């Protein structure tokens, strides 16, 4: 599954030039990581993944924790 262009554009707008942190939460069988992406703001931390879902450009995927991390 590819990342929709609208989601890609919103993601770029949300994180361009900002302090963000990626946390690997799991991996695909082929090694591609699943990440949580956090943006650090003066008023707190924003979970970018959740904001993309809230904006309707992404879907939430529940993963089981990866014991190898």
């Amino acid at each position: 599954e590819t990342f929709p262009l609208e989601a890609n554009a919103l993601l770029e707008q949300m994180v361009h030039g900002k302090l963000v942190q990626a946390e690997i939460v799991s991996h695909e069988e082929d090694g591609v990581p699943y990440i949580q992406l956090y943006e650090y703001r003066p008023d707190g931390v924003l979970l970018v993944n959740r904001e993309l879902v809230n904006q309707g450009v992404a879907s939430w995927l529940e993963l089981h924790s990866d014991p190898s991390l």
Side-chain angles (χ1 to χ4, degrees):
E1 187 173 332
T2 60
F3 205 56
L5 292 176
E6 184 181 2
N8 191 49
L10 181 58
L11 175 63
E12 186 174 337
Q13 176 186 342
M14 290 176 66
V15 301
H16 182 77
K18 299 178 180 166
L19 178 61
V20 296
Q21 178 180 345
E23 174 187 14
I24 298 172
V25 294
S26 190
H27 290 90
E28 280 282 344
E29 289 180 10
D30 63 2
V32 174
Y34 286 102
I35 65 166
Q36 296 282 32
L37 189 60
Y38 302 93
E39 177 194 346
Y40 290 89
R41 300 174 162 191
D43 61 340
V45 178
L46 173 72
L47 178 56
V48 175
N49 307 58
R50 179 58 67 191
E51 186 60 25
L52 291 171
V53 171
N54 291 345
Q55 295 291 326
V57 298
S59 300
W60 193 260
L61 180 62
E62 289 293 334
L63 301 171
H64 300 289
S65 33
D66 187 340
S68 68
L69 296 177

